[in-house]
Amino acid sequence: MEWTDEGIVLGVRRHGESSAIVELLTRGHGRHLGLVRGGSSSRMRPLLQPGNSVTAVWRARLDEHLGTYAIEGTRLRAATLLASSHAVYGVTHLASLARLLPERDPHEDIFEMLDRTLDDFDDAGGAAAHVIRFELAMLAELGFGLDLETCAATGETTDLIYVSPKSGGAVSRRAGEPYRDRLLRLPAFLREGEGGANGWSDQDLQDGFRLTGLFLLRHVLEPRGQGHSDARDGFINAVTRRRARISSSA
């Protein structure tokens, strides 16, 4: 058995004296592990860092075997990502989300979205908005997508500013006003046609993480006996601190 694919490094663990087991999210073969001989060497360690993009050749005698990887780097983002705390936490959190996908099950849209998200971590606010969208995409990919385009109460498609915490459906301003204290806020950057390159406030980001966090816990994590990763909390806190520093120095 042999195939070649694009991959993003999710994690690495040492195996034996010099090898490593590498976990990739690949474009065509999903979340897939393989053994890299010499993966713990000084030459390979910089390549096998979470967040890096690679080309991988996987070989095994049988499809169900762990197999071995021959890996070459294509986009080595890790050095840049390690320069900021929000990016370090963000990469770890994104990898934990990708691990919710079944092993060896292709999810090309998620692969492409992860690839784009990792390429745009310079601005903390923008990175947070990307992570929130990625969490929404993961909910949809796992069968728990939220309907944020149509009012759950009236069928309206405009002025959607709330989300029902029960149904996960958007709610219009008119329909939701009497119940606003019981509804979640739908931030502008998640509403169709709203929010530009800097279309998020601190409140928008808080509302976005509250929204995705509720449904991830309820539908995905708690049924597996899990909670949100420490990296998610670390990412949110790091983004908040960095944006506060920027605002105070402006």
Side-chain angles (χ1 to χ4, degrees):
M1 303 290 299
E2 179 176 325
W3 49 255
T4 302
D5 204 352
E6 303 170 65
I8 299 169
V9 180
L10 299 179
V12 182
R13 65 178 186 268
R14 191 172 184 128
H15 183 78
E17 291 187 6
S18 61
S19 297
I21 294 176
V22 179
E23 182 181 25
L24 302 179
L25 182 64
T26 64
R27 179 184 293 277
H29 297 83
R31 186 172 62 86
H32 205 292
L33 283 75
L35 179 72
V36 177
R37 302 191 191 284
S40 298
S41 68
S42 58
R43 182 181 71 85
M44 291 298 294
R45 276 199 305 271
L47 172 62
L48 302 178
Q49 293 295 316
N52 282 344
S53 288
V54 300
T55 297
V57 180
W58 180 82
R59 298 182 180 92
R61 190 169 64 83
L62 296 174
D63 185 60
E64 60 267 25
H65 288 177
L66 172 66
T68 61
Y69 274 138
I71 288 181
E72 294 183 5
T74 56
R75 242 175 9 267
L76 304 185
R77 310 180 183 92
T80 302
L81 294 171
L82 288 170
S84 60
S85 60
H86 77 271
V88 173
Y89 283 120
V91 171
T92 304
H93 173 51
L94 289 168
S96 73
L97 289 173
R99 290 191 183 98
L100 297 170
L101 298 170
E103 193 175 347
R104 303 191 179 193
D105 188 20
H107 296 270
E108 187 168 348
D109 289 345
I110 292 294
F111 171 85
E112 291 183 354
M113 192 171 191
L114 178 60
D115 198 43
R116 293 194 303 269
T117 299
L118 290 169
D119 274 339
D120 198 11
F121 253 79
D122 292 339
D123 173 68
H130 286 314
V131 169
I132 291 166
R133 292 190 182 103
F134 189 83
E135 291 183 341
L136 281 174
M138 283 296 302
L139 279 166
E141 198 75 9
L142 295 168
F144 304 103
L146 308 185
D147 182 1
L148 303 182
E149 299 180 0
T150 306
C151 176
T154 66
E156 295 174 329
T157 58
T158 59
D159 206 20
L160 306 176
I161 66 168
Y162 301 114
V163 176
S164 166
K166 292 184 178 180
S167 69
V171 180
S172 69
R173 187 188 307 272
R174 179 173 62 87
E177 194 61 24
Y179 315 101
R180 63 183 181 274
D181 292 339
R182 286 179 272 170
L183 298 172
L184 301 167
R185 290 184 57 193
L186 178 59
F189 71 91
L190 295 180
R191 301 199 292 260
E192 189 69 26
E194 297 187 40
N198 296 298
W200 46 78
S201 64
D202 289 341
Q203 186 63 54
D204 282 336
L205 297 177
Q206 291 172 22
D207 292 337
F209 279 116
R210 184 183 176 207
L211 173 66
T212 54
L214 173 70
F215 291 103
L216 279 169
L217 269 179
R218 180 188 299 168
H219 296 306
V220 179
L221 298 173
E222 288 180 345
R224 302 175 186 222
Q226 301 177 22
H228 286 302
S229 67
D230 292 339
R232 186 180 194 266
D233 292 336
F235 175 73
I236 295 170
N237 291 334
V239 167
T240 301
R241 289 195 302 269
R242 179 157 177 173
R243 285 172 64 82
R245 285 198 303 270
I246 293 172
S247 296
S248 63
S249 62

